[in-house]
Amino acid sequence: GAPGDVNSNVLVARSTGDAQLDKAVWQWLSWDKNQKTKEQIESLLQSGKHKELRDRLCCRLTFGTAGLRSAMGAGFCYINDLTIIQSTQGIYKYLERNFSDFKQRGFVVGYDTRGQVTSNCSSKKLAKLTAAVLLAKDVPVYFFSTYVPTPFVPYAVQQLGAVAGVMITASHNRKEDNGYKVYWENGAQIISPHDKEIIKCIEECVEPWNGSWNENLVDTSPLRQDPLKRICDSYMEDLTKICYHRELNVQTSLKFVHTSFHGVGHDYVQLAFKAFGFQPPIPVPEQKDPDPDFSTVKCPNPEEGESVLELSLRLAEKEDAKVVVATDPDADRLAVAEQQENGCWKVFTGNELAALFGWWMFSRWRENCSQDADLGNVYMLATTVSSKILRAIALQEGFHFEETLPGFKWIGSRVKNLLDNGKEVLFAFEESIGFMCGTSVLDKDGVSAAVVIAEMATYLQGQSLTLAQKLVDIYEMYGYHIAKTSYFLCYDPPTIKRIFERLRNFDGPQSYPKCCGVYNILHVRDITTGYDSSQLNKKSVLPVSKSSQMITFTFQNGCVATLRASGTEPKIKYYAEMCALPGHSDRSALEEELWRLIEALIENFLEPGKNGLTWRSA
């Protein structure tokens, strides 16, 4: 038989000497219609690379903190045409069980600008296949005719009354990756039990159905609609609900530079600025258009700070623009830098921006609320690894603050729940520069955050203040909150598990550490096991999340530190924050203490030398 002939492949496949692998190889070669990924598996088979075949074919994608995310390429645990078809078939099956009106209400599909030539794989193509699976089953699909910011998908799901939606994106991950983010009818990312149930459904129908490969259906099916204009217009209109000083924006002399990091953000941020009455921000020409190779940055993550913002800061200096806003490639996160009086740039951390947003959204609410507005109904939220600054503001001002597990999917679901109970949510965030201003979108949104920052800077300029000066005011008023977040790379999952297990059995079986170097530990909370020493019943208030590693230590000196394994990348992250009360304003002493504690944490609990971890800046 010819190489493409399934029967000849079966004979070759039998010779791997591993029945499970043989079956997986046979399935792949008989199901995959993408020549490039099929050839990747064929060539591994021919060169006898059984270990790599096993790695690629004998495990499945699972839902992490942001849906399915993996490298593009051949294999059942990679992102490719076949695994996207399988995932969508599973989702179809699950939604059909859950919604009797699925075929009336329909499904939303959006995508970013990622792609990989060697696998003939792009976000748009994967989105077309996602749509094809559903259209072939007579489900109406709202398929965006061009790339959109991730927040447009949850927004569209709510606006159009769809049962669910998918965004094909890997956000700010390296260029090799792609992903599949699922939103439920409430406009929030799916959480348990939906994710577990969908995985079960995917496993029930792994073989592609008849119509599933027909990517041209989006061009020919009468059930496909393009929601782009309607959603974009409606989104920009809704955005003006959080615009408070249009008259200042129209006249401001402040100039802004925007970089979209080779992703989707350019057009949409331009429109958002226009909606607020601003002149358009100055785009960074080299980074304004989509480029799946992200060729001008070492990694497409604006969190990395000054090193990746180089082009935008140089342009801002040339144009005399004082503020730079950077959206990540799918425009759901925002980095901000401001030029200081000495000419240097301050790149704000996610936690610092949250202090500014928290102050701003609350003070605008207070200025614009009715006489009888009830503070008891007002909420702000943050994930548990984020700064506690909102807690301090809430305590002093009298509104509510709540924490969730890491991942915006938890925030989205909780916010929806609060709104359904008549509460008002002003702002929510996660420290990895994810912000939700207002509640038009129940997910992080870099487009709205960018224009809110611009309005804030404009307003502050009228009071002769910079963002950085206002930040100091906020800390002076509510207490300094100094946080440091970083990570170690670890490409070996068993090592990660071992590090956390050692902490659970530190002074003997089932006993957590009582100190870290010279620092005494007051409380330990382990989200993986559901243990919390600070609670009377020793049970964590936040839900248990067995599949992810995460332990939080509260120290006697007021520091809170969390160690966790990333849900989307091969990293162990650490988060540490010193929270001082108002009046304790010796910032340098607090910073010094925090650094020493972090050193102890790394040395005693992570043991990078022994465990072969590389620190991010190395």
Side-chain angles (χ1 to χ4, degrees), residues 246-297:
R246 200 188 162 85
E247 69 297 340
L248 297 179
N249 303 343
V250 171
Q251 310 162 346
T252 184
S253 59
L254 263 186
K255 289 183 3 193
F256 301 93
V257 160
H258 169 237
T259 170
S260 39
F261 263 73
H262 298 296
V264 308
H266 174 75
D267 296 340
Y268 303 100
V269 171
Q270 294 273 317
L271 286 169
F273 269 67
K274 191 174 159 194
F276 266 49
F278 284 109
Q279 289 295 306
I282 303 161
V284 176
E286 304 92 326
Q287 297 175 337
K288 140 178 126 55
D289 299 317
D291 167 14
D293 289 324
F294 305 113
S295 42
T296 67
V297 288

Short mmCIF file of all heavy atoms in Angstrom, two decimals, residues 246-297:
data_model
loop_
_atom_site.label_atom_id
_atom_site.label_comp_id
_atom_site.label_asym_id
_atom_site.label_seq_id
_atom_site.Cartn_x
_atom_site.Cartn_y
_atom_site.Cartn_z
N ARG A 246 -16.01 63.14 29.62
CA ARG A 246 -15.86 63.28 28.17
C ARG A 246 -15.33 64.66 27.79
O ARG A 246 -14.46 64.80 26.93
CB ARG A 246 -17.22 63.01 27.51
CG ARG A 246 -17.10 62.66 26.07
CD ARG A 246 -18.43 62.58 25.35
NE ARG A 246 -18.13 62.67 23.93
CZ ARG A 246 -17.79 61.63 23.19
NH1 ARG A 246 -17.74 60.42 23.72
NH2 ARG A 246 -17.50 61.79 21.91
N GLU A 247 -15.84 65.69 28.50
CA GLU A 247 -15.45 67.06 28.14
C GLU A 247 -13.94 67.27 28.34
O GLU A 247 -13.29 67.96 27.56
CB GLU A 247 -16.31 68.10 28.89
CG GLU A 247 -16.08 68.20 30.40
CD GLU A 247 -16.41 66.93 31.23
OE1 GLU A 247 -17.16 66.05 30.77
OE2 GLU A 247 -15.88 66.84 32.35
N LEU A 248 -13.37 66.65 29.38
CA LEU A 248 -11.91 66.75 29.59
C LEU A 248 -11.17 65.96 28.51
O LEU A 248 -10.13 66.41 28.01
CB LEU A 248 -11.53 66.19 30.97
CG LEU A 248 -12.07 66.88 32.23
CD1 LEU A 248 -11.60 66.15 33.48
CD2 LEU A 248 -11.62 68.34 32.28
N ASN A 249 -11.70 64.78 28.18
CA ASN A 249 -11.03 63.93 27.18
C ASN A 249 -10.93 64.63 25.83
O ASN A 249 -9.92 64.53 25.12
CB ASN A 249 -11.79 62.61 27.00
CG ASN A 249 -11.95 61.85 28.31
OD1 ASN A 249 -11.26 62.12 29.28
ND2 ASN A 249 -12.88 60.90 28.33
N VAL A 250 -12.00 65.36 25.47
CA VAL A 250 -12.05 66.03 24.17
C VAL A 250 -10.94 67.09 24.07
O VAL A 250 -10.32 67.25 23.02
CB VAL A 250 -13.45 66.66 23.94
CG1 VAL A 250 -13.45 67.55 22.71
CG2 VAL A 250 -14.51 65.57 23.80
N GLN A 251 -10.68 67.79 25.19
CA GLN A 251 -9.72 68.90 25.12
C GLN A 251 -8.30 68.56 25.52
O GLN A 251 -7.41 69.39 25.37
CB GLN A 251 -10.15 70.03 26.07
CG GLN A 251 -11.57 70.45 25.95
CD GLN A 251 -12.02 71.23 27.19
OE1 GLN A 251 -11.34 71.22 28.22
NE2 GLN A 251 -13.14 71.90 27.07
N THR A 252 -8.08 67.38 26.09
CA THR A 252 -6.77 67.13 26.72
C THR A 252 -5.60 67.29 25.76
O THR A 252 -5.70 67.00 24.57
CB THR A 252 -6.72 65.72 27.35
OG1 THR A 252 -5.46 65.59 28.03
CG2 THR A 252 -6.79 64.62 26.30
N SER A 253 -4.48 67.77 26.33
CA SER A 253 -3.26 67.89 25.53
C SER A 253 -2.38 66.64 25.72
O SER A 253 -1.33 66.51 25.09
CB SER A 253 -2.47 69.12 25.99
OG SER A 253 -2.17 68.97 27.37
N LEU A 254 -2.78 65.76 26.63
CA LEU A 254 -2.01 64.53 26.88
C LEU A 254 -1.99 63.67 25.62
O LEU A 254 -3.01 63.55 24.93
CB LEU A 254 -2.65 63.71 28.00
CG LEU A 254 -2.15 63.81 29.42
CD1 LEU A 254 -2.87 62.79 30.30
CD2 LEU A 254 -0.64 63.59 29.52
N LYS A 255 -0.83 63.06 25.36
CA LYS A 255 -0.76 62.14 24.22
C LYS A 255 -0.50 60.73 24.74
O LYS A 255 0.21 60.55 25.73
CB LYS A 255 0.33 62.57 23.25
CG LYS A 255 -0.10 63.85 22.54
CD LYS A 255 0.76 64.44 21.48
CE LYS A 255 1.94 64.10 20.86
NZ LYS A 255 2.76 64.84 20.06
N PHE A 256 -1.10 59.75 24.07
CA PHE A 256 -0.95 58.35 24.47
C PHE A 256 -0.37 57.54 23.32
O PHE A 256 -0.70 57.77 22.16
CB PHE A 256 -2.31 57.75 24.84
CG PHE A 256 -3.00 58.49 25.97
CD1 PHE A 256 -3.91 59.51 25.70
CD2 PHE A 256 -2.72 58.17 27.30
CE1 PHE A 256 -4.53 60.20 26.73
CE2 PHE A 256 -3.34 58.87 28.33
CZ PHE A 256 -4.25 59.88 28.05
N VAL A 257 0.49 56.59 23.69
CA VAL A 257 0.96 55.61 22.69
C VAL A 257 0.31 54.28 23.03
O VAL A 257 0.19 53.90 24.20
CB VAL A 257 2.51 55.49 22.72
CG1 VAL A 257 2.98 54.19 22.08
CG2 VAL A 257 3.13 56.69 22.00
N HIS A 258 -0.13 53.56 21.98
CA HIS A 258 -0.71 52.23 22.21
C HIS A 258 0.06 51.20 21.38
O HIS A 258 0.32 51.41 20.20
CB HIS A 258 -2.19 52.19 21.79
CG HIS A 258 -2.76 50.80 21.76
ND1 HIS A 258 -3.35 50.24 20.64
CD2 HIS A 258 -2.80 49.83 22.72
CE1 HIS A 258 -3.74 49.00 20.91
NE2 HIS A 258 -3.41 48.73 22.15
N THR A 259 0.43 50.08 22.02
CA THR A 259 0.94 48.96 21.24
C THR A 259 -0.01 47.78 21.40
O THR A 259 -0.51 47.52 22.49
CB THR A 259 2.36 48.53 21.65
OG1 THR A 259 2.65 47.29 20.97
CG2 THR A 259 2.49 48.29 23.15
N SER A 260 -0.23 47.10 20.27
CA SER A 260 -1.13 45.94 20.33
C SER A 260 -0.36 44.62 20.26
O SER A 260 -0.95 43.57 20.07
CB SER A 260 -2.18 46.03 19.22
OG SER A 260 -1.62 46.52 18.04
N PHE A 261 0.98 44.70 20.41
CA PHE A 261 1.80 43.49 20.53
C PHE A 261 1.55 42.47 19.41
O PHE A 261 1.41 41.28 19.67
CB PHE A 261 1.51 42.82 21.88
CG PHE A 261 2.52 43.18 22.92
CD1 PHE A 261 2.53 44.44 23.48
CD2 PHE A 261 3.47 42.27 23.31
CE1 PHE A 261 3.48 44.78 24.43
CE2 PHE A 261 4.43 42.60 24.26
CZ PHE A 261 4.44 43.87 24.82
N HIS A 262 1.46 42.99 18.18
CA HIS A 262 1.31 42.10 17.01
C HIS A 262 0.00 41.30 17.05
O HIS A 262 -0.10 40.26 16.41
CB HIS A 262 2.47 41.08 16.93
CG HIS A 262 3.80 41.71 16.76
ND1 HIS A 262 4.14 42.44 15.64
CD2 HIS A 262 4.90 41.71 17.56
CE1 HIS A 262 5.41 42.86 15.78
NE2 HIS A 262 5.87 42.44 16.92
N GLY A 263 -0.98 41.77 17.84
CA GLY A 263 -2.22 40.99 17.98
C GLY A 263 -3.44 41.71 17.46
O GLY A 263 -3.37 42.45 16.46
N VAL A 264 -4.56 41.54 18.15
CA VAL A 264 -5.86 42.00 17.64
C VAL A 264 -6.23 43.42 18.05
O VAL A 264 -7.22 43.96 17.58
CB VAL A 264 -7.00 41.06 18.13
CG1 VAL A 264 -6.69 39.61 17.81
CG2 VAL A 264 -7.24 41.22 19.64
N GLY A 265 -5.47 44.05 18.97
CA GLY A 265 -5.98 45.22 19.68
C GLY A 265 -6.14 46.54 18.93
O GLY A 265 -6.98 47.35 19.29
N HIS A 266 -5.33 46.75 17.87
CA HIS A 266 -5.23 48.09 17.28
C HIS A 266 -6.57 48.76 16.98
O HIS A 266 -6.91 49.82 17.52
CB HIS A 266 -4.36 48.08 16.03
CG HIS A 266 -4.34 49.39 15.31
ND1 HIS A 266 -3.64 50.48 15.78
CD2 HIS A 266 -5.01 49.82 14.22
CE1 HIS A 266 -3.84 51.51 14.97
NE2 HIS A 266 -4.67 51.14 14.02
N ASP A 267 -7.36 48.15 16.10
CA ASP A 267 -8.61 48.80 15.64
C ASP A 267 -9.56 49.07 16.80
O ASP A 267 -10.24 50.10 16.83
CB ASP A 267 -9.33 47.90 14.63
CG ASP A 267 -8.50 47.72 13.36
OD1 ASP A 267 -7.61 48.55 13.12
OD2 ASP A 267 -8.75 46.74 12.61
N TYR A 268 -9.60 48.13 17.73
CA TYR A 268 -10.60 48.20 18.79
C TYR A 268 -10.23 49.25 19.84
O TYR A 268 -11.10 49.95 20.36
CB TYR A 268 -10.79 46.81 19.41
CG TYR A 268 -11.18 45.80 18.34
CD1 TYR A 268 -10.24 44.94 17.78
CD2 TYR A 268 -12.49 45.75 17.84
CE1 TYR A 268 -10.60 44.04 16.78
CE2 TYR A 268 -12.85 44.86 16.83
CZ TYR A 268 -11.90 44.01 16.31
OH TYR A 268 -12.26 43.13 15.31
N VAL A 269 -8.94 49.39 20.13
CA VAL A 269 -8.52 50.43 21.07
C VAL A 269 -8.72 51.81 20.45
O VAL A 269 -9.14 52.75 21.13
CB VAL A 269 -7.06 50.20 21.55
CG1 VAL A 269 -6.54 51.39 22.34
CG2 VAL A 269 -6.99 48.92 22.40
N GLN A 270 -8.45 51.92 19.14
CA GLN A 270 -8.70 53.18 18.45
C GLN A 270 -10.18 53.58 18.61
O GLN A 270 -10.51 54.72 18.94
CB GLN A 270 -8.37 53.05 16.95
CG GLN A 270 -6.89 52.81 16.66
CD GLN A 270 -6.09 54.09 16.52
OE1 GLN A 270 -6.52 55.05 15.90
NE2 GLN A 270 -4.90 54.12 17.12
N LEU A 271 -11.09 52.62 18.39
CA LEU A 271 -12.52 52.89 18.50
C LEU A 271 -12.92 53.25 19.93
O LEU A 271 -13.77 54.12 20.15
CB LEU A 271 -13.33 51.67 18.03
CG LEU A 271 -13.36 51.41 16.52
CD1 LEU A 271 -13.97 50.05 16.23
CD2 LEU A 271 -14.14 52.51 15.79
N ALA A 272 -12.30 52.58 20.90
CA ALA A 272 -12.64 52.84 22.31
C ALA A 272 -12.24 54.27 22.69
O ALA A 272 -12.99 54.97 23.38
CB ALA A 272 -11.94 51.82 23.21
N PHE A 273 -11.06 54.71 22.26
CA PHE A 273 -10.62 56.08 22.55
C PHE A 273 -11.60 57.09 21.92
O PHE A 273 -11.96 58.08 22.53
CB PHE A 273 -9.20 56.32 22.03
CG PHE A 273 -8.13 56.01 23.06
CD1 PHE A 273 -7.90 54.70 23.50
CD2 PHE A 273 -7.34 57.02 23.60
CE1 PHE A 273 -6.92 54.42 24.44
CE2 PHE A 273 -6.36 56.75 24.56
CZ PHE A 273 -6.16 55.44 24.98
N LYS A 274 -12.04 56.77 20.70
CA LYS A 274 -12.99 57.63 20.02
C LYS A 274 -14.30 57.71 20.81
O LYS A 274 -14.89 58.79 20.97
CB LYS A 274 -13.23 57.08 18.61
CG LYS A 274 -14.00 58.00 17.70
CD LYS A 274 -14.06 57.42 16.28
CE LYS A 274 -15.22 58.04 15.52
NZ LYS A 274 -15.52 57.29 14.29
N ALA A 275 -14.74 56.58 21.34
CA ALA A 275 -16.00 56.53 22.10
C ALA A 275 -15.92 57.42 23.35
O ALA A 275 -16.92 57.94 23.82
CB ALA A 275 -16.33 55.09 22.49
N PHE A 276 -14.71 57.59 23.89
CA PHE A 276 -14.51 58.42 25.09
C PHE A 276 -14.21 59.88 24.73
O PHE A 276 -13.95 60.68 25.62
CB PHE A 276 -13.35 57.86 25.93
CG PHE A 276 -13.79 56.92 27.03
CD1 PHE A 276 -14.67 55.88 26.77
CD2 PHE A 276 -13.32 57.06 28.34
CE1 PHE A 276 -15.07 55.01 27.77
CE2 PHE A 276 -13.72 56.19 29.35
CZ PHE A 276 -14.59 55.16 29.07
N GLY A 277 -14.20 60.20 23.44
CA GLY A 277 -13.96 61.58 23.04
C GLY A 277 -12.49 61.95 22.84
O GLY A 277 -12.17 63.10 22.60
N PHE A 278 -11.60 60.94 22.96
CA PHE A 278 -10.16 61.22 22.79
C PHE A 278 -9.75 61.29 21.33
O PHE A 278 -10.39 60.69 20.47
CB PHE A 278 -9.34 60.08 23.42
CG PHE A 278 -9.27 60.10 24.92
CD1 PHE A 278 -9.94 59.15 25.67
CD2 PHE A 278 -8.49 61.05 25.58
CE1 PHE A 278 -9.86 59.16 27.06
CE2 PHE A 278 -8.41 61.06 26.97
CZ PHE A 278 -9.10 60.11 27.71
N GLN A 279 -8.62 61.96 21.09
CA GLN A 279 -7.90 61.77 19.83
C GLN A 279 -7.39 60.33 19.83
O GLN A 279 -7.12 59.77 20.90
CB GLN A 279 -6.68 62.72 19.77
CG GLN A 279 -7.04 64.18 19.60
CD GLN A 279 -7.70 64.45 18.25
OE1 GLN A 279 -7.16 64.10 17.21
NE2 GLN A 279 -8.89 65.04 18.29
N PRO A 280 -7.21 59.72 18.65
CA PRO A 280 -6.73 58.33 18.66
C PRO A 280 -5.32 58.23 19.27
O PRO A 280 -4.51 59.15 19.08
CB PRO A 280 -6.72 57.93 17.18
CG PRO A 280 -6.82 59.20 16.41
CD PRO A 280 -7.48 60.21 17.29
N PRO A 281 -5.03 57.18 20.02
CA PRO A 281 -3.67 57.01 20.54
C PRO A 281 -2.72 56.75 19.38
O PRO A 281 -3.14 56.28 18.32
CB PRO A 281 -3.79 55.77 21.44
CG PRO A 281 -4.95 55.02 20.92
CD PRO A 281 -5.90 56.03 20.36
N ILE A 282 -1.44 57.06 19.59
CA ILE A 282 -0.43 56.85 18.54
C ILE A 282 -0.03 55.39 18.54
O ILE A 282 0.43 54.86 19.55
CB ILE A 282 0.81 57.73 18.82
CG1 ILE A 282 0.40 59.21 18.92
CG2 ILE A 282 1.88 57.51 17.77
CD1 ILE A 282 1.42 60.09 19.63
N PRO A 283 -0.24 54.69 17.40
CA PRO A 283 0.11 53.26 17.40
C PRO A 283 1.61 53.05 17.17
O PRO A 283 2.26 53.87 16.54
CB PRO A 283 -0.69 52.71 16.21
CG PRO A 283 -0.92 53.87 15.31
CD PRO A 283 -0.84 55.14 16.13
N VAL A 284 2.13 51.94 17.68
CA VAL A 284 3.52 51.55 17.40
C VAL A 284 3.49 50.84 16.05
O VAL A 284 2.96 49.73 15.96
CB VAL A 284 4.07 50.62 18.49
CG1 VAL A 284 5.47 50.15 18.15
CG2 VAL A 284 4.05 51.33 19.85
N PRO A 285 4.04 51.47 14.99
CA PRO A 285 3.82 50.93 13.64
C PRO A 285 4.30 49.48 13.48
O PRO A 285 3.61 48.66 12.87
CB PRO A 285 4.60 51.89 12.73
CG PRO A 285 5.39 52.78 13.61
CD PRO A 285 4.80 52.73 14.98
N GLU A 286 5.46 49.16 14.08
CA GLU A 286 6.00 47.80 13.90
C GLU A 286 5.15 46.73 14.59
O GLU A 286 5.31 45.54 14.33
CB GLU A 286 7.42 47.67 14.47
CG GLU A 286 8.42 48.67 13.92
CD GLU A 286 8.51 49.95 14.75
OE1 GLU A 286 7.47 50.40 15.32
OE2 GLU A 286 9.61 50.49 14.84
N GLN A 287 4.28 47.14 15.53
CA GLN A 287 3.54 46.14 16.31
C GLN A 287 2.03 46.26 16.14
O GLN A 287 1.27 45.56 16.78
CB GLN A 287 3.88 46.31 17.80
CG GLN A 287 5.35 46.05 18.09
CD GLN A 287 5.73 46.33 19.54
OE1 GLN A 287 5.06 47.08 20.24
NE2 GLN A 287 6.82 45.72 19.99
N LYS A 288 1.61 47.13 15.20
CA LYS A 288 0.19 47.43 15.10
C LYS A 288 -0.57 46.33 14.35
O LYS A 288 -1.73 46.07 14.63
CB LYS A 288 0.05 48.80 14.44
CG LYS A 288 -1.02 49.01 13.44
CD LYS A 288 -0.99 50.47 12.96
CE LYS A 288 -0.89 50.61 11.46
NZ LYS A 288 -1.93 49.92 10.72
N ASP A 289 0.09 45.69 13.37
CA ASP A 289 -0.61 44.68 12.57
C ASP A 289 -0.33 43.28 13.09
O ASP A 289 0.75 43.00 13.61
CB ASP A 289 -0.18 44.80 11.10
CG ASP A 289 -0.53 46.17 10.53
OD1 ASP A 289 -1.66 46.64 10.81
OD2 ASP A 289 0.31 46.77 9.84
N PRO A 290 -1.30 42.38 12.90
CA PRO A 290 -1.12 41.02 13.37
C PRO A 290 0.10 40.34 12.78
O PRO A 290 0.38 40.50 11.59
CB PRO A 290 -2.40 40.32 12.90
CG PRO A 290 -3.42 41.39 12.80
CD PRO A 290 -2.66 42.61 12.37
N ASP A 291 0.84 39.61 13.62
CA ASP A 291 2.01 38.86 13.17
C ASP A 291 2.13 37.64 14.08
O ASP A 291 2.50 37.76 15.24
CB ASP A 291 3.26 39.75 13.29
CG ASP A 291 4.56 38.96 13.17
OD1 ASP A 291 4.52 37.79 12.73
OD2 ASP A 291 5.63 39.51 13.51
N PRO A 292 1.81 36.46 13.53
CA PRO A 292 1.82 35.25 14.37
C PRO A 292 3.21 34.91 14.93
O PRO A 292 3.33 34.11 15.85
CB PRO A 292 1.31 34.15 13.45
CG PRO A 292 1.15 34.73 12.11
CD PRO A 292 1.36 36.20 12.16
N ASP A 293 4.26 35.53 14.35
CA ASP A 293 5.61 35.27 14.88
C ASP A 293 6.01 36.25 15.98
O ASP A 293 7.07 36.09 16.58
CB ASP A 293 6.65 35.34 13.75
CG ASP A 293 6.51 34.16 12.81
OD1 ASP A 293 6.21 33.05 13.30
OD2 ASP A 293 6.67 34.34 11.59
N PHE A 294 5.18 37.28 16.23
CA PHE A 294 5.51 38.28 17.25
C PHE A 294 6.96 38.73 17.11
O PHE A 294 7.74 38.70 18.06
CB PHE A 294 5.27 37.71 18.66
CG PHE A 294 3.87 37.18 18.86
CD1 PHE A 294 3.66 35.82 19.05
CD2 PHE A 294 2.77 38.02 18.83
CE1 PHE A 294 2.36 35.32 19.22
CE2 PHE A 294 1.48 37.54 19.00
CZ PHE A 294 1.28 36.18 19.19
N SER A 295 7.32 39.14 15.88
CA SER A 295 8.75 39.22 15.56
C SER A 295 9.54 40.31 16.27
O SER A 295 10.76 40.25 16.28
CB SER A 295 8.94 39.30 14.04
OG SER A 295 7.99 40.16 13.48
N THR A 296 8.90 41.32 16.87
CA THR A 296 9.72 42.36 17.53
C THR A 296 9.85 42.17 19.03
O THR A 296 10.45 43.01 19.71
CB THR A 296 9.13 43.76 17.29
OG1 THR A 296 7.86 43.84 17.97
CG2 THR A 296 8.94 44.06 15.81
N VAL A 297 9.27 41.10 19.60
CA VAL A 297 9.38 40.90 21.05
C VAL A 297 9.87 39.49 21.36
O VAL A 297 9.58 38.55 20.64
CB VAL A 297 8.03 41.13 21.79
CG1 VAL A 297 7.67 42.61 21.82
CG2 VAL A 297 6.91 40.32 21.17
#
